[in-house]
Amino acid sequence: MFRFMFILVVLGCSQGALAHNDSAQDNQQEWPKMSGTWIMELVSLSDTPVPIVEKVTARTFSLTLVDVEQNGSDLTFRETVCRLDTQLEISVVQMTPSKNFTKALSGKVRTARLVRKSPSEIELLIDDRTIVHSAKLQDRENEPLPTNPDDPRVFDGDHDGHPGMTMKFSGLVIGEAYVVQRTKSEMRGKLLGPDLVKGPMFWQTEQVVLDVSNPFLRFAPKPKAGVGRDDSFFVLRRAQNKPTCDDVSYSKQVQLMVKNPEQKAN
């Protein structure tokens, strides 16, 4: 009936040490101090076909606390996801992740690095990363996603008693879809000052619906791999003191874009 393409690009699961070793040249340069706690906002946009409307914009917003460790130009990000909002720019159908999924996304790691473009310009490159939600694959880049809820690779990622991760639908169709998803993302931002980074986010996603609670949802078109719109972006701002999720909120720019009720991790 419609194509669900829920986008969760921020959220990550690649573990490991720094991907880049300092060179002698790197050790001789002075890099901005990035270590400490930052607040990351991600705004992911895609064009998705739905009933009645030929194409509608789907938006995903996330608010994440990031603890940054620094070794010269190399950085490690450790993430705590505080809030996740999704919306379709129509009223006939809306979708939201299960309440526990936001909490389950925390504790992930990704790597990044500073690059000096000129004596006065430095970029932050957040390395590309592939995440598989609610399935354990030996080759997360290329292995086909499971298509059966009884596949032993599938697990209950949001701990709600259903296989995969749960998407709740309301409006024209009421029910739940249980899905697995693979996302790939990378970011490139400019340091606009000692406490602010902004830039575009590049991502693509692939999704499989394992099962549904409402038989009517079985008639939905099969989701296809999608690519995010060019106006997807991220903002990274330095936090004051050592905040918790209760202390942080979206910036005014993002608040104007978010219409869904607040959903915070407990």
Side-chain angles (χ1 to χ4, degrees):
M1 180 174 179
F2 56 89
R3 189 175 314 211
F4 5 101
M5 192 58 69
F6 176 64
I7 297 129
L8 292 172
V9 253
V10 351
L11 318 279
C13 59
S14 66
Q15 308 288 326
L18 293 174
H20 304 275
N21 293 323
D22 287 348
S23 63
Q25 179 182 4
D26 181 58
N27 289 330
Q28 293 172 2
Q29 297 189 64
E30 283 193 23
W31 295 101
K33 183 179 181 297
M34 300 292 291
S35 57
T37 302
W38 293 71
I39 301 167
M40 177 179 281
E41 297 172 291
L42 299 179
V43 179
S44 314
L45 299 99
S46 65
D47 293 322
T48 303
V50 296
I52 305 173
V53 181
E54 180 180 351
K55 188 167 61 175
V56 67
T57 296
R59 295 176 171 181
T60 300
F61 307 90
S62 68
L63 184 68
T64 302
L65 285 173
V66 181
D67 288 325
V68 179
E69 299 173 6
Q70 182 171 10
N71 183 7
S73 62
D74 293 325
L75 309 172
T76 300
F77 288 6
R78 303 186 185 278
E79 303 170 348
T80 300
V81 180
C82 297
R83 176 171 171 172
L84 188 64
D85 296 273
T86 66
Q87 64 179 212
L88 298 175
E89 291 187 333
I90 56 171
S91 59
V92 294
V93 177
Q94 287 298 325
M95 58 184 179
T96 57
S98 66
K99 185 176 180 181
N100 293 331
F101 189 67
T102 305
K103 186 175 181 180
L105 294 169
S106 294
K108 313 306 182 186
V109 177
R110 73 184 304 165
T111 59
R113 54 199 164 97
L114 299 171
V115 175
R116 195 178 300 276
K117 306 295 289 186
S118 70
S120 60
E121 182 181 356
I122 295 177
E123 284 190 344
L124 171 67
L125 304 184
I126 301 179
D127 296 329
D128 63 314
R129 178 179 63 182
T130 298
I131 318 157
V132 178
H133 296 291
S134 299
K136 297 179 180 179
L137 306 183
Q138 291 186 341
D139 180 359
R140 66 172 179 262
E141 296 276 351
N142 304 303
E143 186 176 341
L145 292 175
T147 59
N148 189 313
D150 297 323
D151 190 310
R153 296 174 297 167
V154 174
F155 64 93
D156 180 5
D158 47 9
H159 307 290
D160 65 351
H162 300 290
M165 78 178 182
T166 299
M167 295 301 304
K168 298 178 181 293
F169 292 89
S170 59
L172 191 63
V173 177
I174 298 175
E176 297 179 347
Y178 313 117
V179 305
V180 293
Q181 186 183 71
R182 173 166 36 219
T183 61
K184 300 180 181 181
S185 67
E186 61 180 305
M187 291 168 260
R188 178 187 294 265
K190 286 186 178 182
L191 273 69
L192 302 179
D195 302 325
L196 183 64
V197 184
K198 290 184 178 181
M201 175 172 57
F202 311 99
W203 59 269
Q204 58 185 16
T205 187
E206 177 186 359
Q207 183 172 280
V208 171
V209 179
L210 300 170
D211 201 1
V212 295
S213 66
N214 182 345
F216 195 58
L217 289 172
R218 296 188 188 279
F219 297 99
K222 210 181 235 186
K224 296 181 180 179
V227 178
R229 283 186 3 186
D230 292 341
D231 50 353
S232 300
F233 67 92
F234 80 100
V235 178
L236 192 63
R237 46 193 169 96
R238 193 185 299 272
Q240 301 299 317
N241 303 318
K242 184 73 174 175
T244 67
C245 283
D246 290 332
D247 302 320
V248 298
S249 60
Y250 288 127
S251 62
K252 290 183 179 179
Q253 176 190 9
V254 175
Q255 285 179 18
L256 292 174
M257 302 174 69
V258 177
K259 298 177 183 178
N260 283 356
E262 183 169 280
Q263 180 178 336
K264 283 193 175 185
N266 295 323

